[in-house]
Amino acid sequence: MTDTPSLLQMTAPLREDFDIPYHDIGPKNAPARVALVAGIHGNELNGVFVLSRLAAFLNATACGEQPGVELRERVIVIPAVNVLGLNTLSRRWPFDGTDINRMFPGYNAGETTQRIAHAVLEVTRPASYRVDLHSSNLEFEELPQIRLYAPTEAERLTARCFGMPAIIERPMNSVFTSTIGHAWRESGGQNFVIQAGQAGVLQPQHCERVFAALVRLLQHVEALVGAPLSTDDADVHYFGVDQTAPLISAHAGIFVSRLEVGRWVRSGEVIGQVYDSFNGELRIEIRSPVSGLLSGLRRQPLLCEGDLIARIETRQPVPSGVDTYLHGQGQ
Ligand SMILES: [Zn+2]
């Protein structure tokens, strides 16, 4: 038996009771320096895997099993908030279909997901730095990136220390105000969202990038000392609120792309093709309207008119169109 703490113990109608375990690692004589949360959505596997592996590394470090590496500050790690959704690959909480990231700040005498949100907030609120990890939805792949919502100058500076390929700044989301990000903001400190990859699958390369980014953060805030840092991920690009060009489909059909997220595309470069699903005819070649970094790409081939095909982050400001960041892309 271990002494793994739990956020909540709950009972289920037709199965054994269950709980939401988390890791509380490092010296306990002070509030946590960093709190890391993943799996608020149960089908976003990249973040769950990264945090479970990071917890293993930090626990080994705390036990002195990583020569030369030292954990000097307390770190909270919650690999999977939606523990039941993880079992069924479900974004939402299986029993009542609620989205836990629409339940914050929660309520400790409320419905199950209100109680979960409350418990997550209670255990993460004392931390000085907080990170919420997501993947996109089942249809769209995101380049690993830091998302900043109406950030402070301190958050802008810290964001660069993750060493992620893109930092994307957004206005505060006024539609979804019951997210963990909103609740954290009320609590002060520095708050970050990481978006990486696609829901429903595990993408080891994205996971490695996010793992390295979190180790960099832990070293930057001096929670961790002496961990080896990879040198190939220092190429950070910062994109403001008016530097995103979404590509929205004007056609329906089978969408095919051979591109990978994270490449730089030129204006007019082919992003993919749309084929007729019956006679196989090429309906249209989708071309990038701008030059920039391909930060997101559609992976679901069944395409309808109005679907998001790609996002390209530009070096220069571009006219702002529809805000595709509000389309429920994993957050
Ligand atoms: Zn999510």
Side-chain angles (χ1 to χ4, degrees), residues 2 7 156 169 175 191 226 244 267-268 272 276 278 290:
T2 64
L7 288 173
R156 287 194 181 103
E169 189 170 320
V175 177
N191 305 296
T244 291
S267 178
D276 184 288
F278 176 66
V290 294

Side-chain angles (χ1 to χ4, degrees), residues 40-41 43-44 91 101 133-136 195 329-331:
I40 285 181
H41 297 132
N43 62 356
E44 297 175 10
R91 170 186 170 94
N101 212 23
L133 284 79
H134 290 267
S135 302
S136 185
Q195 272 282 0
Q329 305 293 338
Q331 279 169 249

